[in-house]
Amino acid sequence: MNPQKNAMAAPIEEDVTEPQLNILLTTDEDDQRPVYLSGNFNNWHTQDPDFEMEKIGDGLYHYKFSPDFAYPDELLYKFTKGDWSEVEIDQYGNRTENRSCRQHNGVRKEHVDKWRKNWLPFKPNFLPVVKLISEAFEIPQLNKKRKIWALLPHDYESSGETYPVLYLQDAQNLFNEQAKYGNWEIDKKLAVMSEYKIGKIIIIAIEHAEQDRIKEYNVGKTVLGVGQGKKYIRFITDTLKPYIDKTFRTKPEREFTGIGGSSMGGLVSIYSGLMYPEVYGKLMIFSPSLWVVPKMGFSRADFSEPGITKIYLYAGGDESATMIRHVKKFKKNMLEQETLADKTKIKLSINMQGKHNETYWSDEFPKAIEWLFFNSKED
C-alpha cells in the first residue's frame, strides 16, 4: 500500500466529478431509432428534442442535464424510442416501473433489456370498455340512422373521473378485427397508453354511410359534386355531442373536445373545425382528401373563437403524388391567416414510407392523441 499515491488520488477524483448529472444507458437491443428521456420534468413527453440522448456507440447512449436544469425532488423517468409504442420493457416483455433518481451530478448507469414494438404486448385489463350506444341512432339532419360506439377508459365505472372526448369517423375501420382493409386497433393502442397512465379519453366512433360515405363526408360543392357534409357536421355538433355530454362523464368544453378522421373523414373533420371553432379545439387529420377542394377558403368569420386550436396533421409519402404538397400548403395557408397565427398550433407529421391505409393511421393514432390532449409542453 502506498499512502502517498492514495493521498494524491482523492483530489484527482474530486476534480473529475461531473458537475451535472450524466445518464449512461446500455441496451441489449439497438437500432437506428433515437432514444429519449421522458419523465416528470417534461410532462412525460415522449419525443422531446431537448431530452434526446446522444448515441456514442452500439447499444450505448449518453445524456447530460444542462447546468440550469431545475431538478424535481425525485427525478422520475423512462427511456423511449419515440412514443409509448416503443418504450422500454423488461426481458420478459413486461412494463417497467418508473426509474427514480435523486442525484444532481456524477454519472448514473442504466440498462434497458428490450423495447416495445408495434404496441405489443398489450394488457387486456387496460382495454377500453366498448359500448354500443345505438344500432340506429337518429340523424334528423339527414333523415338517416347510424350505428355509433363509445370507447370508455378501462376504469370508467370505478373512477368517477371526467374525460376529454374525440369524435372519430369511419367506426368500421377503428377497432373491428374483421374490417376488410384492416383497422386502426385504437382499442389496443389505448390499452397500452392507459398502462402508462396516459390516454384516458372517451372515443365516440361513428360508422360511415357505406355507399353514401363520400356524399356524407363531402362538404358543399366540390369536384365530387354536391355533398351532405354540412348537415352531417351539424348532426355531430348539434345532436350527437349534447347526447354524449348528457350520457357520459365528459369534459364538454372546446379545449377537451376533438374530432378527426382519415381521407374523406379527415376532410369533413377539417370543415367541422372551421364551422364550429367554439366546439372543437382539437383536430386529428390523417391523409385528408384535400384534392377534393383545391381552393379551400378560410373566411375570417370562421375563426372568431379566441381559444387555441390544435391540429395534428399527418400524411404519408407513398400515398399519392400530391399528398405531401397538399398538407404542406394547407398548413401554410392556415398559418398565414392573420386571425389564426396566434391561436392555431399545427403539428405536421410526415412518414415518407406511409401508404394510404389503416396500418399507417394506426401507428399515428397514439402519437396524435398524446400531442393533442396530453402534452402541455410547447413544441
Side-chain angles (χ1 to χ4, degrees):
M1 187 173 185
N2 188 334
Q4 184 177 3
K5 182 179 179 180
N6 287 343
M8 293 175 62
I12 292 176
E13 261 184 36
E14 189 175 318
D15 287 343
V16 298
T17 298
E18 291 290 332
Q20 288 91 49
L21 175 61
N22 288 250
I23 294 183
L24 195 63
L25 172 69
T26 56
T27 180
D28 295 332
E29 288 187 345
D30 201 17
D31 52 43
Q32 297 305 307
R33 295 172 296 171
V35 174
Y36 298 89
L37 278 167
S38 169
N40 61 345
F41 47 85
N42 70 343
N43 294 313
W44 295 95
H45 185 28
T46 56
Q47 206 169 135
D48 190 337
D50 292 337
F51 293 93
E52 181 178 347
M53 302 190 76
E54 176 190 11
K55 186 169 186 176
I56 57 177
D58 291 339
L60 184 61
Y61 295 82
H62 169 254
Y63 184 81
K64 177 185 283 190
F65 286 87
S66 64
D68 59 350
F69 179 75
Y71 293 91
D73 291 340
E74 180 182 16
L75 194 71
L76 300 174
Y77 57 98
K78 276 187 168 70
F79 300 102
T80 86
K81 288 274 189 174
D83 61 45
W84 298 112
S85 71
E86 304 170 309
V87 71
E88 60 171 290
I89 51 179
D90 69 19
Q91 59 181 317
Y92 306 107
N94 295 317
R95 174 187 184 275
T96 59
E97 294 303 317
N98 293 335
R99 296 172 185 266
S100 172
C101 173
R102 293 183 182 275
Q103 70 188 84
H104 295 178
N105 54 29
V107 177
R108 184 176 181 85
K109 295 181 179 180
E110 300 278 25
H111 182 76
V112 168
D113 292 308
K114 295 182 177 181
W115 304 90
R116 194 184 291 274
K117 294 178 181 176
N118 299 323
W119 293 94
L120 297 174
F122 69 91
K123 300 289 175 56
N125 55 306
F126 285 101
L127 283 168
V129 178
V130 180
K131 182 181 179 64
L132 177 62
I133 294 175
S134 174
E135 286 273 3
F137 198 98
E138 292 280 351
I139 306 180
Q141 293 83 354
L142 293 168
N143 194 27
K144 296 179 180 179
K145 297 180 180 180
R146 191 65 40 79
K147 185 182 287 188
I148 298 177
W149 305 81
L151 280 73
L152 308 173
H154 71 281
D155 59 352
Y156 181 86
E157 295 300 334
S158 60
S159 73
E161 297 177 47
T162 57
Y163 302 95
V165 181
L166 175 65
Y167 294 84
L168 283 182
Q169 322 311 323
D170 294 315
Q172 291 96 324
N173 303 324
L174 297 180
F175 55 93
N176 178 8
E177 294 292 343
Q178 281 73 50
K180 184 177 180 180
Y181 301 106
N183 75 91
W184 293 24
E185 296 186 313
I186 65 172
D187 51 343
K188 298 173 185 175
K189 304 299 173 69
L190 289 169
V192 174
M193 295 180 79
S194 290
E195 189 179 354
Y196 289 96
K197 304 186 187 309
I198 192 171
K200 292 178 75 171
I201 186 173
I202 293 175
I203 303 290
I204 302 301
I206 309 152
E207 291 204 339
H208 61 66
E210 300 293 350
Q211 66 270 18
D212 286 334
R213 174 181 180 270
I214 299 298
K215 183 189 296 185
E216 213 168 80
Y217 289 170
N218 187 28
V219 180
K221 187 175 182 180
T222 71
V223 298
L224 296 177
V226 179
Q228 300 175 326
K230 290 184 179 180
K231 293 181 179 179
Y232 175 75
I233 293 168
R234 284 199 290 270
F235 156 65
I236 297 177
T237 308
D238 298 337
T239 303
L240 182 58
K241 185 180 187 300
Y243 174 85
I244 296 301
D245 290 335
K246 181 180 178 181
T247 305
F248 301 103
R249 297 194 310 275
T250 69
K251 293 181 177 179
E253 298 84 1
R254 71 177 301 276
E255 60 265 36
F256 304 111
T257 303
I259 190 165
S262 61
S263 195
M264 286 296 292
L267 186 65
V268 77
S269 297
I270 289 174
Y271 275 106
S272 299
L274 301 184
M275 287 174 60
Y276 293 98
E278 73 279 10
V279 175
Y280 305 106
K282 321 281 188 187
L283 306 183
M284 179 186 289
I285 312 300
F286 292 172
S287 309
S289 300
L290 292 167
W291 61 272
V292 173
V293 201
K295 293 184 179 180
M296 181 182 287
F298 300 100
S299 166
R300 294 175 68 94
D302 288 334
F303 305 103
S304 57
E305 175 59 42
I308 295 293
T309 295
K310 296 183 74 174
I311 303 174
Y312 192 99
L313 185 60
Y314 163 79
D318 198 17
E319 294 193 48
S320 72
T322 58
M323 177 61 76
I324 301 299
R325 274 187 289 147
H326 275 310
V327 295
K328 286 183 175 180
K329 181 181 178 183
F330 172 77
K331 177 182 178 181
K332 180 174 180 285
N333 289 346
M334 287 280 286
L335 296 180
E336 281 182 348
Q337 303 298 309
E338 60 180 79
T339 55
L340 283 176
D342 295 332
K343 55 186 181 182
T344 303
K345 299 187 186 306
I346 302 179
K347 183 175 180 67
L348 176 58
S349 174
I350 294 176
N351 178 357
M352 291 309 298
Q353 285 72 50
K355 301 180 186 298
H356 197 79
N357 64 38
E358 279 70 21
T359 297
Y360 291 94
W361 299 327
S362 174
D363 288 343
E364 207 67 25
F365 171 76
K367 301 173 186 178
I369 286 284
E370 181 179 357
W371 185 80
L372 286 169
F373 291 94
F374 302 102
N375 174 27
S376 58
K377 183 180 174 66
E378 299 296 330
D379 62 354

